[in-house]
């Protein structure tokens, strides 16, 4: 029979064994034990304050829950699939320990608002930790930017050499991405940090509860305003998975560059041995497995977002069993993001930069062609005409297997009489980089200012 179920009064037949295993969530939601106990202690304290249950029962409940917490953390708690989830496992153990007082704990609440509370508490804790990991990676980027402040590298569009830039400028580009990622996590935290407990199953409760008191105990600045929405809302989890997908996309883009840069063709950077592996057959290989795996895990996080969106897309109000499927995508995203950020921060800090190789590559591919066009504009030629002049000069270089810096003054003047000997001061890599002084540019003075701004702003 279903007498072993805390909800079994209405049932006359036992739950099918496979159904029991299929519908249970304890194998993955047991990680919510701390949040479940914290929420239950706050709820019981409120019930006592409001005179809904006797104070002696509150004391027994709180002491019992703290004992259960210690048991779980010591590894001495046997979780039962037949009790379905973390809430019922803890409540059943509590009632077994303290008797009828434990059975009064669930007064004025439902598993629907209880699980909504647990997930919000859990995600709130994890968001704080994830933001700390983001800041650690941002610090690693600042470290690399400061250590390699004047290193010149080729900037790319379409993966073709475009213009010379500073490596430090490139690192600061990822800093800006992560700054936005952190901002999205902060915004997500605001909407996560709202108390749903007190909504009951869907309509609220007939007991004179004090939701604001519970919110104060648990550190929530506000409570939810609609009981239906309170138990059926998973927007905060979707928002986290969305923000995480963007974050992982940024890490994947960075991974792709690190993979390219560490090849024998580029040799721009070297990842330390701690973050690479070898080949089982080719003894010379040093494979960038960490960035490759982060690049791969990005798809996993995208999948979690789509899975959760799909779960929620056609659910009528209020709670539905489908929503049990919210936890595994959320938990997996949390674990993946934390692991990726942690390993990335250490890997980037230890990365070695090949300054000579980068600068040599920056000098190829006609990377200062735009500077010649800008030079001609300053001499009074309209930009489109200047663009055409430089395009012809580049074609001449290609036909003669030359690069822009190798052209003589006489050759330059074939293309435009406006070109004088001062042209050579405009087409060095250093001149090209440092001419871009507008806010956000790659000039050394601008990059220094952005690094200082980053150091001061955090």
């Amino acid at each position: 029979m279903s007498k072993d179920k805390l909800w079994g009064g209405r049932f006359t037949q036992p739950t099918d064994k496979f159904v029991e295993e299929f519908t249970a969530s304890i194998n993955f939601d047991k990680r919510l034990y701390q949040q479940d106990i914290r929420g239950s202690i706050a709820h019981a304290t409120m019930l006592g304050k409001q005179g809904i249950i006797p104070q002696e029962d509150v004391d027994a409940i709180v002491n019992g829950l703290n004992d259960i917490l210690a048991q779980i953390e010591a590894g001495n708690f046997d979780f039962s699939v037949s009790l379905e989830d973390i809430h019922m496992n803890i409540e059943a153990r509590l009632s077994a320990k303290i008797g009828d007082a434990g059975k009064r704990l669930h007064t004025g609440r439902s598993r629907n608002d209880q699980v909504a509370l647990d997930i919000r508490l859990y995600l709130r804790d994890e968001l704080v930790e994830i933001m700390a990991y983001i800041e650690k990676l941002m610090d690693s980027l600042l470290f690399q930017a400061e250590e390699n402040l004047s290193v010149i590298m080729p900037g790319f569009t379409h993966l073709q050499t475009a213009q010379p830039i500073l490596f430090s400028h490139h690192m600061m580009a990822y800093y800006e991405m992560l700054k936005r990622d952190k901002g999205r996590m902060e915004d997500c935290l605001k909407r996560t940090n709202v108390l749903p407990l007190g909504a009951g199953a869907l309509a609220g409760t007939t007991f004179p509860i004090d939701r604001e008191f519970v919110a104060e105990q648990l550190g929530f600045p506000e409570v939810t305003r609609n009981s239906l929405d309170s138990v059926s809302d998973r927007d905060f989890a979707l928002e986290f998975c969305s923000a995480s997908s963007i974050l992982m996309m940024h890490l994947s883009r960075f991974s792709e560059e690190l993979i390219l840069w560490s090849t024998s063709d580029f040799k721009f950077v070297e990842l330390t041995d701690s973050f690479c592996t070898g080949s089982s057959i080719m003894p010379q290989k040093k494979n960038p497995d960490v960035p490759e795996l982060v690049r791969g895990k990005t798809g996993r996080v995208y999948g979690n977002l789509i899975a959760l969106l799909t779960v929620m897309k056609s659910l009528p109000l209020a709670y539905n069993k489908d929503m049990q499927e919210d936890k595994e995508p959320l938990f997996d995203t949390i674990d993946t993001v934390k692991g990726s950020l942690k390993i990335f921060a250490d890997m980037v800090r230890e990365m070695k930069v090949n300054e000579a190789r980068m600068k040599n590559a920056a000098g190829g591919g006609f990377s200062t062609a735009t500077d010649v066009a800008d030079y001609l504009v300053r001499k009074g030629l309209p930009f489109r005409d200047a663009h055409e002049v430089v395009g012809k000069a580049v074609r001449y270089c290609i036909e003669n297997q030359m690069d822009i810096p190798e052209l003589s003054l006489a050759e330059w003047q074939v293309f435009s009489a406006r070109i004088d000997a001062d042209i050579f001061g405009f087409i060095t890599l250093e001149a090209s980089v440092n001419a871009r002084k507008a806010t956000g540019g790659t000039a050394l003075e601008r990059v220094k200012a952005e690094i200082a701004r980053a150091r001061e702003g955090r």
Side-chain angles (χ1 to χ4, degrees), residues 2 55 116 177 244 392:
S2 295
Q55 186 59 45
M177 295 181 208
S244 295
K392 291 177 179 178

Side-chain angles (χ1 to χ4, degrees), residues 373-405:
D374 291 346
Y375 168 87
L376 287 169
V377 168
R378 290 188 180 92
K379 295 285 187 173
L381 199 63
F383 179 78
R384 281 299 162 208
D385 293 339
H387 189 285
E388 183 178 357
V389 166
V390 179
K392 291 177 179 178
V394 168
R395 185 172 63 195
Y396 174 83
C397 288
I398 293 171
E399 290 170 352
N400 291 277
Q401 298 183 331
M402 303 169 66
D403 207 335
I404 282 177

Side-chain angles (χ1 to χ4, degrees), residues 408-428:
S408 67
L409 178 58
E411 287 171 311
W412 274 120
Q413 290 178 334
V414 169
F415 301 106
S416 175
R418 297 172 188 262
I419 297 177
D420 296 318
D422 60 348
I423 182 66
F424 299 106
F426 284 85
I427 58 175
T428 66

Side-chain angles (χ1 to χ4, degrees), residues 289-336:
D289 278 14
V290 166
E292 287 179 348
L293 194 54
V294 169
R295 186 176 59 182
K297 285 180 179 292
T298 300
R300 180 190 190 115
V301 173
Y302 290 179
N304 290 335
L305 171 60
I306 297 302
L308 188 50
L309 282 168
T310 305
V311 166
M312 299 299 298
K313 74 176 178 63
S314 56
L315 296 186
L317 294 178
Y319 184 84
N320 297 270
K321 187 66 170 177
D322 315 48
M323 293 169 69
Q324 181 172 295
E325 291 295 305
D326 63 352
K327 295 173 194 64
E328 289 181 287
L330 178 63
F331 294 161
D332 185 70
T333 298
I334 289 169
D335 294 344
T336 302

Side-chain angles (χ1 to χ4, degrees), residues 219-243:
F220 287 100
E222 56 182 316
V223 301
T224 55
R225 311 307 301 186
N226 182 284
S227 59
L228 285 167
D229 182 57
S230 300
V231 298
S232 63
D233 169 36
R234 291 298 183 270
D235 288 1
F236 59 94
L238 286 164
E239 187 173 355
F240 171 74
C241 289
S242 175

Side-chain angles (χ1 to χ4, degrees), residues 194-386:
V194 185
L195 176 81
L197 196 66
L202 77 160
T205 177
T206 60
F207 293 97
I209 63 173
D210 186 343
R211 297 187 68 203
E212 286 73 17
F213 176 76
V214 176
E216 185 178 351
Q217 288 185 89
L218 294 173
F220 287 100
E222 56 182 316
V223 301
T224 55
R225 311 307 301 186
N226 182 284
S227 59
L228 285 167
D229 182 57
S230 300
V231 298
S232 63
D233 169 36
R234 291 298 183 270
D235 288 1
F236 59 94
L238 286 164
E239 187 173 355
F240 171 74
C241 289
S242 175
S244 295
S245 294
I246 298 172
L247 167 60
M248 290 299 294
M249 177 268 291
H250 290 152
L251 295 186
S252 185
R253 294 181 71 181
F254 199 2
S255 292
E256 177 70 10
E257 295 199 312
L258 294 178
I259 292 162
L260 287 170
W261 291 354
S262 61
T263 62
S264 57
D265 300 290
F266 275 80
K267 289 186 180 177
F268 283 4
V269 301
E270 181 180 0
L271 303 178
T272 57
D273 292 354
S274 304
F275 301 95
C276 299
T277 63
S279 166
S280 63
I281 189 173
M282 295 170 284
Q284 84 280 10
K285 293 294 295 298
K286 182 178 178 180
N287 301 324
D289 278 14
V290 166
E292 287 179 348
L293 194 54
V294 169
R295 186 176 59 182
K297 285 180 179 292
T298 300
R300 180 190 190 115
V301 173
Y302 290 179
N304 290 335
L305 171 60
I306 297 302
L308 188 50
L309 282 168
T310 305
V311 166
M312 299 299 298
K313 74 176 178 63
S314 56
L315 296 186
L317 294 178
Y319 184 84
N320 297 270
K321 187 66 170 177
D322 315 48
M323 293 169 69
Q324 181 172 295
E325 291 295 305
D326 63 352
K327 295 173 194 64
E328 289 181 287
L330 178 63
F331 294 161
D332 185 70
T333 298
I334 289 169
D335 294 344
T336 302
V337 167
K338 284 170 64 177
S340 298
L341 285 169
K342 183 179 185 302
I343 202 166
F344 230 87
D346 294 336
M347 178 179 66
V348 169
R349 180 170 284 270
E350 294 181 26
M351 177 176 68
K352 306 300 179 186
V353 175
N354 188 337
E355 179 177 359
R357 184 81 175 191
M358 282 190 177
K359 186 171 183 180
N360 183 63
F366 314 106
S367 65
T368 56
T370 305
D371 298 279
V372 180
D374 291 346
Y375 168 87
L376 287 169
V377 168
R378 290 188 180 92
K379 295 285 187 173
L381 199 63
F383 179 78
R384 281 299 162 208
D385 293 339

